[in-house]
Amino acid sequence: MSSLLKSRNLVSEELQGVLSRNQDRDSQAGTSSQGVRYRGHDLEASFHFDTAVDPESEESSRRTLTTFSGVFCPVALSQFSYLIFLRMGFVIGQSGVLHFSIELSLAYLILMLTILSISAISSNGEIQGGGVYFMISRTLGPEFGGAMGLLFFIANIFSCGLYVSGFTEAFLDNFGSTGILGQWLPDGSAYWRYLYSFVVLTVCLGICLVGGSLFARTSAFILLILLVCYISVVVSLLFHPPFRVPIPHPNKYVYPGNDTNSTVYYNFTGPNLDMFLENSKSHYSPDYTIDDPSSMSFARVFAILFSSVTGIMNGANLSGELRKPSESIPRGTLLATLFTFLCYILLGLTIAASCQYELLINNYSFLIPINYWSGFVVIGLSAATLSAALGNLIGASRILHALAKDGLFGLPLKPAAVTVAGGNPIPAVAISFCLVMLVLLIGSLNLIAPIVTCFFLLAYASTNLACAALDLASAPNFRPKFKLFHWSASLTGLFGSLVMGFLVSYIYTPISIMIMLGLMIVLHLRSLPDNWGSISQALIFHQVRKYMLMLDPRKYHVKYWRPQIILLILHPRQNAQMIKFVNDLKKGGLYVLGHVFPSVLNLEQMVIDPSEEAMPEWLSIVDELKVKAFVELTLAPDVRAGAQQLIRISGLGGMKPNTVCLGFYESAAVREAARLADQQSHEPGVINLSASPSQHHGWFSTPSSTRDVATPSDYTRLLGDVLQMGKELLVLRHMHALDSNGLGGRGKRQIDVWPVNFFQPGLKGYIDTTCLLQLQFACILNSSRRWRRDCRIRVFLCVDAGSNLDELTKQLDLLLGDLRIQAQTHILDWQHVVGEANPMSDGAISSAYLTAANQCIRLQSPETAAAFLYLPRPPSDPRMHAQYLEQIDILTKDLPPTVLVHGLHKVFSRNL
């Protein structure tokens, strides 16, 4: 018990020292920028505001973008992308108006649900750079957020490659060797296409190196140009006279064998009801731009459509450069998405009413000859694809920079954290550029589209998960300014994203999920920042509270008894093995480490509550020892009162301690020997807190004086208090003999149980509640994964000479069988146990008798890893307390690690 009790004088001196140190610290902090000082009984708070430049002011000065320039324009440009001028005819011709309407509605439904989630999260607090990655990581925690952030970065890389590929394809369709507007550029092989893509991407790189804000400032002008081109296309589709449109010769399905001697034409009719009705049906057929003879399908066309409208997060990606991101992101993203949806509906219906479906699926550049001035289509297509590529390249670099700055992936991403004047992350831009070049090796736009779709759908699913989790957790601080959301909408977006991901590609979607899970495992094994806050903690709290209310102690049944242990302890360094040992006794039950700070001071006389100050250090001990335990600390006038507090108030509801463990009251010589052994111990698993004085306070220091140990009477009364409160009692001794892992040590293969009350020899052979509790804990210890490999249980029973040993052995084996305990039984002759020693002397247990019993136990214990002995009830007469402890000391002297047990309640059930 030396590990529990401290004298009031010594603790008072320690608390006064802490008080003095904290007063010195506060007096020094009085000149700091901010401080709170406490003096005597008065609480005086004085705040000092430093007039120096805020380190974040430089970042604030870079926040120059408005809702229109920073969110609406980038999102609208990205959503128009290549679809509006290059693939809209493909979608209408393949899917027909009916399937097109379903595909577009599904795509925009997922987008709108995700936007609602983004809006709710973004309006719930200050957003820094990194956009959606920042929101997810600060909501779901670093593991999930980091994994999802890297996948979102990859999605932006693929998306940038998709748009560059779309631009190159359109450019060569118009100006390649068989171009519609001119045959100026060679494109006979894939190398030429890759070269042109490289040139286009290099132009995007140059703009990014100047800065993302330049693109955002010019995005309004680019959007204006695109709208002019869009209006010209719609006007031409409505009013251009009907004519026949030629099909380009590279189409191998229209011109088998690459026939160049003839030209096939299909009709442009202008608005026509019959044409609209014909195009309302689907006409799925092979794509002439790829070497795949299989026909398109609903899912494949949806993938191409969806991949072109994934830019809803381009505004959020610029969060570090927005003046008011919490306001701009919801408003700008919603308006831009509604605007592009209406534009797509109008253009799709107009194309369906005026063009033959064979034209749409065999000539992706059909709008160029139809338009009054072909240049409008080329300009609009260039503006749409290049701006979308720029948006994704900038977004990818910002996400990579945020990942590197957070340090989640360590050294590999460290260069990406570097920025130049103005905050432009040049290394991150360069890395993104190189990765996009690798993506371009895939080739065709339609091959890249499914990959982009799967990655973005997973990113959207994660965003919806984050919002749903925040709403379901009912966290008081989740009060977004944006109110048009609900957890059910977020869950619908989550499941919709996942379902559509598997429909688009049952290969890419599982691969992306496995990549995400692998990244989460990698990040979990790293030391990650723990000050972000994780929604998992809020959700766990929510669920635990609900189930704790369902855990009704009135429905307790002995069949489901399990130990709920509180271990009262003072010095965790000295008792590391004890903490680990008790951890093996809990059998999945509650385990609490309890500590008392005895003090004659009142809280109002202290700078800080010592239990509050010490809690982080105790939690670090739990982590270091890898035990599944809670920590409860309290401040009390004396140890006994504090221990009563801990025993009564620890736990919650149906999870409260039913068993109290504490160390034995050792003599001063034994404590000094333990202190010296502790100072010399450097074994792994034995915490040497003195090696890191900057991280651990004096509460963990090894006692250097006998003054920190209370009287034998105090200790014995505490044992009586435990039993008086109806708790099972375990007293542990010789735990220092365990190895550094809390095990019995090499060659120690026995767990011995002595269900014998040596203090009442007349009751030998009688199995009572305490004996059954001994057997229960021995069985629990042996079922522990660390003990069951090498250890087995032995049960020793002492009987009078002349007893039928065979019959007694049979009865004991039958009892163990009924209790489902596998153990060896050993019946000892009582005379062999105590020899000639007289158990009683002057009305008390004689020392000679206890010494003989001790020697008998020692003779049976050369290979014993742990022994469970019967703990007699402590006497109520204070005059007998010292004698009681002395007798236990004699009985357990020089034994293996020993657990003295006293039970009060039934813990076994023989019935189903």
Side-chain angles (χ1 to χ4, degrees):
M1 187 53 188
S2 61
S3 60
L4 172 68
L5 302 176
K6 299 180 76 175
S7 69
R8 300 174 67 176
N9 293 335
L10 180 61
V11 175
S12 297
E13 294 173 5
E14 290 182 352
L15 286 176
Q16 291 289 358
V18 173
L19 177 63
S20 176
R21 290 194 300 272
N22 282 282
Q23 285 177 339
D24 293 341
R25 181 185 63 195
D26 290 344
S27 64
Q28 294 173 1
T31 57
S32 63
S33 60
Q34 294 185 15
V36 180
R37 296 178 300 172
Y38 304 92
R39 186 170 59 222
H41 295 274
D42 300 324
L43 176 64
E44 178 187 22
S46 57
F47 300 93
H48 307 274
F49 299 96
D50 198 345
T51 58
V53 177
D54 188 342
E56 296 184 358
S57 61
E58 182 180 352
E59 179 182 351
S60 301
S61 66
R62 297 197 298 266
R63 293 180 176 270
T64 58
L65 301 181
T66 63
T67 301
F68 183 73
S69 64
V71 181
F72 182 89
C73 291
V75 171
L77 287 173
S78 180
Q79 287 192 306
F80 280 138
S81 64
Y82 63 84
L83 178 64
I84 192 168
F85 295 116
L86 189 61
R87 285 294 190 272
M88 180 58 77
F90 164 83
V91 174
I92 295 294
Q94 295 279 355
S95 299
V97 174
L98 181 59
H99 284 191
F100 162 73
S101 302
I102 297 174
E103 289 165 347
L104 191 68
S105 300
L106 280 175
Y108 271 82
L109 176 62
I110 293 174
L111 294 180
M112 290 301 296
L113 292 174
T114 305
I115 291 171
L116 297 181
S117 298
I118 295 174
S119 301
I121 297 174
S122 63
S123 63
N124 191 53
E126 181 182 356
I127 302 177
Q128 301 177 15
V132 176
Y133 155 69
F134 181 86
M135 290 187 258
I136 294 177
S137 62
R138 269 53 175 187
T139 301
L140 299 181
E143 292 92 350
F144 194 96
M148 199 59 253
L150 191 59
L151 282 186
F152 190 48
F153 163 73
I154 296 173
N156 277 270
I157 292 295
F158 274 92
S159 188
C160 180
L162 177 75
Y163 298 139
V164 171
S165 177
F167 175 86
T168 304
E169 179 182 317
F171 197 75
L172 292 178
D173 285 347
N174 290 287
F175 303 106
S177 58
T178 58
I180 299 174
L181 300 179
Q183 294 80 34
W184 301 339
L185 300 174
D187 62 345
S189 68
Y191 296 106
W192 284 109
R193 289 179 175 266
Y194 190 76
L195 176 62
Y196 300 142
S197 298
F198 172 75
V199 173
V200 173
L201 188 60
T202 303
V203 173
C204 296
L205 173 65
I207 298 174
C208 288
L209 293 178
V210 174
S213 59
L214 174 64
F215 164 68
R217 293 190 190 98
T218 59
S219 60
F221 179 70
I222 299 174
L223 182 61
L224 177 62
I225 294 175
L226 193 148
L227 288 177
V228 171
C229 298
Y230 172 84
I231 293 172
S232 75
V233 168
V234 175
V235 171
S236 299
L237 288 169
L238 291 174
F239 301 107
H240 195 288
F243 72 102
R244 292 169 63 81
V245 181
I247 303 301
H249 277 84
N251 191 322
K252 59 186 177 182
Y253 297 107
V254 177
Y255 303 103
N258 196 20
D259 180 14
T260 59
N261 296 323
S262 61
T263 301
V264 177
Y265 295 85
Y266 291 109
N267 294 325
F268 165 74
T269 63
N272 186 291
L273 180 59
D274 292 335
M275 186 65 70
F276 182 82
L277 293 176
E278 176 64 23
N279 285 333
S280 64
K281 298 178 293 185
S282 60
H283 305 89
Y284 294 117
S285 57
D287 177 11
Y288 72 86
T289 64
I290 60 176
D291 296 327
D292 184 0
S294 61
S295 297
M296 289 286 108
S297 63
F298 181 93
R300 295 177 69 180
V301 175
F302 175 82
I304 295 170
L305 185 151
F306 189 84
S307 64
S308 65
V309 296
T310 54
I312 59 172
M313 296 184 177
N314 277 21
N317 289 340
L318 295 172
S319 59
E321 299 166 53
L322 293 171
R323 291 179 186 172
K324 298 179 179 179
S326 297
E327 297 178 7
S328 297
I329 292 174
R331 187 181 307 166
T333 307
L334 279 171
L335 290 176
T337 303
L338 290 173
F339 174 70
T340 57
F341 177 75
L342 294 176
C343 290
Y344 277 130
I345 287 290
L346 176 60
L347 182 61
L349 296 179
T350 306
I351 291 175
S354 58
C355 299
Q356 194 174 353
Y357 80 87
E358 290 91 345
L359 171 63
L360 302 180
I361 63 177
N362 289 297
N363 185 357
Y364 299 159
S365 301
F366 73 100
L367 289 176
I368 292 177
I370 292 175
N371 208 64
Y372 279 114
W373 182 55
S374 302
F376 273 132
V377 178
V378 177
I379 294 172
L381 180 59
S382 302
T385 53
L386 285 179
S387 60
L390 272 171
N392 281 275
L393 185 60
I394 293 171
S397 63
R398 279 10 180 214
I399 296 169
L400 182 62
H401 172 67
L403 282 167
K405 191 167 65 172
D406 287 338
L408 298 185
F409 293 93
L411 191 61
L413 295 187
K414 189 174 183 180
V418 178
T419 58
V420 298
N424 194 12
I426 298 297
V429 173
I431 294 172
S432 302
F433 169 83
C434 295
L435 293 177
V436 175
M437 289 303 302
L438 294 177
V439 171
L440 290 172
L441 293 173
I442 297 175
S444 173
L445 179 152
N446 286 6
L447 291 177
I448 303 175
I451 305 175
V452 173
T453 299
C454 291
F455 277 114
F456 270 108
L457 282 171
L458 191 57
Y460 295 162
S462 301
T463 305
N464 285 301
L465 173 63
C467 185
L470 281 170
D471 201 13
L472 290 172
S474 302
N477 285 322
F478 183 59
R479 297 187 298 271
K481 297 178 182 178
F482 183 84
K483 302 298 183 182
L484 300 177
F485 77 97
H486 191 264
W487 62 265
S488 59
S490 298
L491 287 181
T492 303
L494 165 65
F495 291 115
S497 300
L498 292 177
V499 169
M500 293 311 301
F502 279 97
L503 286 178
V504 167
S505 175
Y506 59 86
I507 296 176
Y508 294 135
T509 299
I511 289 176
S512 60
I513 292 176
M514 286 188 290
I515 292 174
M516 183 185 71
L517 294 176
L519 290 172
M520 290 176 63
I521 294 173
V522 171
L523 292 174
H524 181 73
L525 297 177
R526 285 179 48 81
S527 178
L528 298 176
D530 56 1
N531 58 346
W532 291 359
S534 174
I535 190 61
S536 62
Q537 295 298 307
L539 289 174
I540 290 172
F541 176 87
H542 185 76
Q543 292 300 108
V544 167
R545 182 193 65 85
K546 181 173 70 174
Y547 287 114
M548 286 294 294
L549 290 172
M550 296 171 61
L551 188 61
D552 191 345
R554 294 170 296 183
K555 298 180 180 179
Y556 162 79
H557 194 279
V558 67
K559 287 192 297 184
Y560 304 109
W561 179 90
R562 68 177 68 240
Q564 316 268 21
I565 301 175
I566 179 171
L567 173 61
L568 302 178
I569 196 169
L570 174 61
H571 301 291
R573 180 179 63 188
Q574 262 189 284
N575 296 283
Q577 293 93 334
M578 181 188 294
I579 296 173
K580 289 185 176 182
F581 179 82
V582 176
N583 186 64
D584 290 330
L585 293 178
K586 68 180 188 300
K587 192 59 176 179
L590 179 68
Y591 183 23
V592 180
L593 298 181
H595 179 76
V596 179
F597 293 100
S599 174
V600 295
L601 299 178
N602 295 323
L603 275 176
E604 59 187 9
Q605 298 173 296
M606 299 179 181
V607 176
I608 189 172
D609 185 346
S611 61
E612 186 75 18
E613 187 179 33
M615 179 61 77
E617 311 302 332
W618 278 86
L619 294 177
S620 69
I621 295 301
V622 171
D623 295 337
E624 183 85 14
L625 292 175
K626 296 181 175 61
V627 296
K628 298 177 181 179
F630 299 95
V631 175
E632 290 288 350
L633 309 178
T634 189
L635 186 70
D638 56 65
V639 169
R640 184 182 177 189
Q644 291 179 4
Q645 293 176 16
L646 290 174
I647 297 170
R648 290 183 185 280
I649 68 175
S650 294
L652 188 65
M655 291 187 64
K656 297 185 73 67
N658 57 22
T659 304
V660 179
C661 295
L662 63 164
F664 183 65
Y665 183 91
E666 301 288 2
S667 64
V670 173
R671 292 195 305 275
E672 183 65 17
R675 182 184 70 83
L676 295 175
D678 176 68
Q679 289 181 343
Q680 298 173 359
S681 174
H682 299 286
E683 297 181 23
V686 178
I687 301 178
N688 190 359
L689 298 174
S690 60
S692 52
S694 62
Q695 300 179 6
H696 302 282
H697 298 295
W699 309 116
F700 300 101
S701 60
T702 303
S704 57
S705 169
T706 58
R707 294 189 301 163
D708 70 338
V709 180
T711 64
S713 182
D714 292 334
Y715 177 84
T716 309
R717 285 176 173 173
L718 179 56
L719 298 184
D721 293 341
V722 171
L723 299 178
Q724 190 67 25
M725 287 187 283
K727 309 297 182 183
E728 322 294 345
L729 176 60
L730 304 183
V731 176
L732 294 89
R733 194 180 191 193
H734 306 308
M735 291 294 123
H736 62 274
L738 296 168
D739 64 19
S740 59
N741 293 316
L743 298 173
R746 183 176 300 176
K748 306 294 186 179
R749 301 181 179 277
Q750 312 297 342
I751 298 175
D752 292 348
V753 180
W754 293 81
V756 180
N757 186 350
F758 289 101
F759 282 40
Q760 292 183 303
L763 297 179
K764 55 185 177 296
Y766 176 73
I767 302 296
D768 61 5
T769 301
T770 295
C771 300
L772 293 176
L773 185 62
Q774 289 177 259
L775 291 170
Q776 181 72 280
F777 274 112
C779 186
I780 291 174
L781 182 65
N782 193 47
S783 68
S784 171
R785 183 179 59 182
R786 303 190 311 147
W787 288 77
R788 66 171 175 245
R789 292 175 299 181
D790 301 319
C791 295
R792 58 184 179 179
I793 300 175
R794 298 189 303 178
V795 180
F796 293 88
L797 195 62
C798 300
V799 298
D800 289 325
S803 301
N804 188 337
L805 298 183
D806 292 338
E807 181 63 25
L808 291 175
T809 302
K810 182 179 179 181
Q811 293 179 6
L812 183 56
D813 289 339
L814 181 62
L815 172 65
L816 295 176
D818 290 342
L819 300 178
R820 288 91 62 199
I821 297 177
Q822 295 182 356
Q824 293 181 347
T825 55
H826 296 264
I827 306 296
L828 301 181
D829 189 331
W830 186 252
Q831 294 302 319
H832 291 168
V833 174
V834 298
E836 300 298 327
N838 186 359
M840 307 300 295
S841 175
D842 298 326
I845 302 296
S846 68
S847 297
Y849 159 75
L850 292 174
T851 301
N854 171 263
Q855 291 176 350
C856 175
I857 298 173
R858 287 165 59 186
L859 287 174
Q860 301 293 333
S861 307
E863 296 184 355
T864 299
F868 289 84
L869 271 62
Y870 195 114
L871 176 68
R873 177 180 285 272
S876 58
D877 188 350
R879 294 172 297 178
M880 300 178 62
H881 289 169
Q883 182 184 29
Y884 172 77
L885 294 180
E886 181 181 356
Q887 291 171 343
I888 295 178
D889 176 63
I890 296 173
L891 179 64
T892 59
K893 184 178 181 180
D894 297 330
L895 292 184
T898 302
V899 182
L900 294 156
V901 181
H902 192 97
L904 299 176
H905 305 97
K906 184 180 179 182
V907 295
F908 273 112
S909 174
R910 301 184 183 185
N911 302 322
L912 288 175

PDB file of all heavy atoms in Angstrom, residues 205-222:
ATOM      1  N   LEU A 205       0.477  25.342 -66.829  1.00  0.00           N
ATOM      2  CA  LEU A 205       1.497  25.445 -65.788  1.00  0.00           C
ATOM      3  C   LEU A 205       1.987  26.878 -65.653  1.00  0.00           C
ATOM      4  O   LEU A 205       2.157  27.387 -64.539  1.00  0.00           O
ATOM      5  CB  LEU A 205       2.662  24.508 -66.116  1.00  0.00           C
ATOM      6  CG  LEU A 205       3.890  24.613 -65.205  1.00  0.00           C
ATOM      7  CD1 LEU A 205       3.534  24.186 -63.781  1.00  0.00           C
ATOM      8  CD2 LEU A 205       5.041  23.762 -65.745  1.00  0.00           C
ATOM      9  N   GLY A 206       2.216  27.532 -66.794  1.00  0.00           N
ATOM     10  CA  GLY A 206       2.681  28.918 -66.751  1.00  0.00           C
ATOM     11  C   GLY A 206       1.703  29.822 -66.037  1.00  0.00           C
ATOM     12  O   GLY A 206       2.098  30.678 -65.232  1.00  0.00           O
ATOM     13  N   ILE A 207       0.417  29.630 -66.307  1.00  0.00           N
ATOM     14  CA  ILE A 207      -0.592  30.449 -65.627  1.00  0.00           C
ATOM     15  C   ILE A 207      -0.613  30.149 -64.130  1.00  0.00           C
ATOM     16  O   ILE A 207      -0.723  31.056 -63.296  1.00  0.00           O
ATOM     17  CB  ILE A 207      -1.970  30.195 -66.257  1.00  0.00           C
ATOM     18  CG1 ILE A 207      -1.955  30.613 -67.731  1.00  0.00           C
ATOM     19  CG2 ILE A 207      -3.053  30.954 -65.505  1.00  0.00           C
ATOM     20  CD1 ILE A 207      -3.222  30.276 -68.476  1.00  0.00           C
ATOM     21  N   CYS A 208      -0.480  28.871 -63.782  1.00  0.00           N
ATOM     22  CA  CYS A 208      -0.476  28.500 -62.358  1.00  0.00           C
ATOM     23  C   CYS A 208       0.736  29.067 -61.634  1.00  0.00           C
ATOM     24  O   CYS A 208       0.661  29.430 -60.450  1.00  0.00           O
ATOM     25  CB  CYS A 208      -0.499  26.982 -62.214  1.00  0.00           C
ATOM     26  SG  CYS A 208      -2.063  26.226 -62.646  1.00  0.00           S
ATOM     27  N   LEU A 209       1.873  29.129 -62.315  1.00  0.00           N
ATOM     28  CA  LEU A 209       3.072  29.673 -61.680  1.00  0.00           C
ATOM     29  C   LEU A 209       2.921  31.155 -61.386  1.00  0.00           C
ATOM     30  O   LEU A 209       3.487  31.671 -60.426  1.00  0.00           O
ATOM     31  CB  LEU A 209       4.298  29.434 -62.579  1.00  0.00           C
ATOM     32  CG  LEU A 209       4.715  27.970 -62.744  1.00  0.00           C
ATOM     33  CD1 LEU A 209       5.898  27.861 -63.689  1.00  0.00           C
ATOM     34  CD2 LEU A 209       5.057  27.347 -61.402  1.00  0.00           C
ATOM     35  N   VAL A 210       2.149  31.842 -62.225  1.00  0.00           N
ATOM     36  CA  VAL A 210       1.877  33.255 -61.949  1.00  0.00           C
ATOM     37  C   VAL A 210       1.007  33.387 -60.707  1.00  0.00           C
ATOM     38  O   VAL A 210       1.192  34.290 -59.895  1.00  0.00           O
ATOM     39  CB  VAL A 210       1.200  33.912 -63.171  1.00  0.00           C
ATOM     40  CG1 VAL A 210       0.787  35.344 -62.844  1.00  0.00           C
ATOM     41  CG2 VAL A 210       2.130  33.882 -64.363  1.00  0.00           C
ATOM     42  N   GLY A 211       0.063  32.443 -60.548  1.00  0.00           N
ATOM     43  CA  GLY A 211      -0.778  32.463 -59.355  1.00  0.00           C
ATOM     44  C   GLY A 211      -2.211  32.127 -59.668  1.00  0.00           C
ATOM     45  O   GLY A 211      -2.738  32.519 -60.727  1.00  0.00           O
ATOM     46  N   GLY A 212      -2.859  31.387 -58.760  1.00  0.00           N
ATOM     47  CA  GLY A 212      -4.240  30.999 -58.963  1.00  0.00           C
ATOM     48  C   GLY A 212      -5.182  32.183 -58.943  1.00  0.00           C
ATOM     49  O   GLY A 212      -6.236  32.165 -59.598  1.00  0.00           O
ATOM     50  N   SER A 213      -4.830  33.245 -58.213  1.00  0.00           N
ATOM     51  CA  SER A 213      -5.710  34.402 -58.148  1.00  0.00           C
ATOM     52  C   SER A 213      -5.831  35.090 -59.498  1.00  0.00           C
ATOM     53  O   SER A 213      -6.865  35.682 -59.810  1.00  0.00           O
ATOM     54  CB  SER A 213      -5.198  35.389 -57.095  1.00  0.00           C
ATOM     55  OG  SER A 213      -3.876  35.809 -57.411  1.00  0.00           O
ATOM     56  N   LEU A 214      -4.778  35.032 -60.335  1.00  0.00           N
ATOM     57  CA  LEU A 214      -4.840  35.615 -61.671  1.00  0.00           C
ATOM     58  C   LEU A 214      -5.917  34.920 -62.496  1.00  0.00           C
ATOM     59  O   LEU A 214      -6.719  35.574 -63.178  1.00  0.00           O
ATOM     60  CB  LEU A 214      -3.487  35.508 -62.365  1.00  0.00           C
ATOM     61  CG  LEU A 214      -3.453  35.944 -63.833  1.00  0.00           C
ATOM     62  CD1 LEU A 214      -3.766  37.432 -63.945  1.00  0.00           C
ATOM     63  CD2 LEU A 214      -2.090  35.634 -64.455  1.00  0.00           C
ATOM     64  N   PHE A 215      -5.936  33.602 -62.443  1.00  0.00           N
ATOM     65  CA  PHE A 215      -6.971  32.849 -63.155  1.00  0.00           C
ATOM     66  C   PHE A 215      -8.357  33.191 -62.622  1.00  0.00           C
ATOM     67  O   PHE A 215      -9.309  33.369 -63.400  1.00  0.00           O
ATOM     68  CB  PHE A 215      -6.703  31.347 -63.019  1.00  0.00           C
ATOM     69  CG  PHE A 215      -7.883  30.491 -63.371  1.00  0.00           C
ATOM     70  CD1 PHE A 215      -8.338  30.411 -64.674  1.00  0.00           C
ATOM     71  CD2 PHE A 215      -8.554  29.769 -62.394  1.00  0.00           C
ATOM     72  CE1 PHE A 215      -9.436  29.624 -65.002  1.00  0.00           C
ATOM     73  CE2 PHE A 215      -9.647  28.989 -62.701  1.00  0.00           C
ATOM     74  CZ  PHE A 215     -10.087  28.915 -64.018  1.00  0.00           C
ATOM     75  N   ALA A 216      -8.469  33.295 -61.284  1.00  0.00           N
ATOM     76  CA  ALA A 216      -9.776  33.600 -60.706  1.00  0.00           C
ATOM     77  C   ALA A 216     -10.251  34.990 -61.117  1.00  0.00           C
ATOM     78  O   ALA A 216     -11.443  35.203 -61.371  1.00  0.00           O
ATOM     79  CB  ALA A 216      -9.710  33.497 -59.184  1.00  0.00           C
ATOM     80  N   ARG A 217      -9.311  35.959 -61.194  1.00  0.00           N
ATOM     81  CA  ARG A 217      -9.712  37.311 -61.590  1.00  0.00           C
ATOM     82  C   ARG A 217     -10.162  37.383 -63.037  1.00  0.00           C
ATOM     83  O   ARG A 217     -11.022  38.188 -63.399  1.00  0.00           O
ATOM     84  CB  ARG A 217      -8.546  38.274 -61.348  1.00  0.00           C
ATOM     85  CG  ARG A 217      -8.191  38.477 -59.881  1.00  0.00           C
ATOM     86  CD  ARG A 217      -7.205  39.609 -59.706  1.00  0.00           C
ATOM     87  NE  ARG A 217      -6.679  39.659 -58.354  1.00  0.00           N
ATOM     88  CZ  ARG A 217      -5.517  39.145 -57.983  1.00  0.00           C
ATOM     89  NH1 ARG A 217      -4.749  38.545 -58.886  1.00  0.00           N
ATOM     90  NH2 ARG A 217      -5.110  39.219 -56.746  1.00  0.00           N
ATOM     91  N   THR A 218      -9.569  36.560 -63.887  1.00  0.00           N
ATOM     92  CA  THR A 218      -9.928  36.561 -65.307  1.00  0.00           C
ATOM     93  C   THR A 218     -11.044  35.566 -65.618  1.00  0.00           C
ATOM     94  O   THR A 218     -11.494  35.493 -66.766  1.00  0.00           O
ATOM     95  CB  THR A 218      -8.702  36.215 -66.162  1.00  0.00           C
ATOM     96  OG1 THR A 218      -8.202  34.926 -65.776  1.00  0.00           O
ATOM     97  CG2 THR A 218      -7.600  37.255 -65.967  1.00  0.00           C
ATOM     98  N   SER A 219     -11.470  34.811 -64.621  1.00  0.00           N
ATOM     99  CA  SER A 219     -12.486  33.783 -64.882  1.00  0.00           C
ATOM    100  C   SER A 219     -13.809  34.394 -65.306  1.00  0.00           C
ATOM    101  O   SER A 219     -14.556  33.792 -66.096  1.00  0.00           O
ATOM    102  CB  SER A 219     -12.680  32.909 -63.634  1.00  0.00           C
ATOM    103  OG  SER A 219     -13.097  33.697 -62.528  1.00  0.00           O
ATOM    104  N   ALA A 220     -14.126  35.577 -64.790  1.00  0.00           N
ATOM    105  CA  ALA A 220     -15.375  36.230 -65.200  1.00  0.00           C
ATOM    106  C   ALA A 220     -15.348  36.551 -66.687  1.00  0.00           C
ATOM    107  O   ALA A 220     -16.354  36.363 -67.407  1.00  0.00           O
ATOM    108  CB  ALA A 220     -15.590  37.493 -64.368  1.00  0.00           C
ATOM    109  N   PHE A 221     -14.210  37.036 -67.168  1.00  0.00           N
ATOM    110  CA  PHE A 221     -14.081  37.339 -68.596  1.00  0.00           C
ATOM    111  C   PHE A 221     -14.168  36.062 -69.432  1.00  0.00           C
ATOM    112  O   PHE A 221     -14.821  36.034 -70.477  1.00  0.00           O
ATOM    113  CB  PHE A 221     -12.764  38.068 -68.838  1.00  0.00           C
ATOM    114  CG  PHE A 221     -12.513  38.398 -70.276  1.00  0.00           C
ATOM    115  CD1 PHE A 221     -13.271  39.361 -70.935  1.00  0.00           C
ATOM    116  CD2 PHE A 221     -11.524  37.734 -70.986  1.00  0.00           C
ATOM    117  CE1 PHE A 221     -13.040  39.660 -72.270  1.00  0.00           C
ATOM    118  CE2 PHE A 221     -11.288  38.019 -72.317  1.00  0.00           C
ATOM    119  CZ  PHE A 221     -12.057  38.991 -72.965  1.00  0.00           C
ATOM    120  N   ILE A 222     -13.511  35.003 -68.948  1.00  0.00           N
ATOM    121  CA  ILE A 222     -13.571  33.724 -69.677  1.00  0.00           C
ATOM    122  C   ILE A 222     -14.993  33.201 -69.718  1.00  0.00           C
ATOM    123  O   ILE A 222     -15.467  32.700 -70.744  1.00  0.00           O
ATOM    124  CB  ILE A 222     -12.628  32.706 -69.014  1.00  0.00           C
ATOM    125  CG1 ILE A 222     -11.179  33.196 -69.053  1.00  0.00           C
ATOM    126  CG2 ILE A 222     -12.740  31.346 -69.691  1.00  0.00           C
ATOM    127  CD1 ILE A 222     -10.220  32.316 -68.283  1.00  0.00           C
TER     128      ILE A 222
END
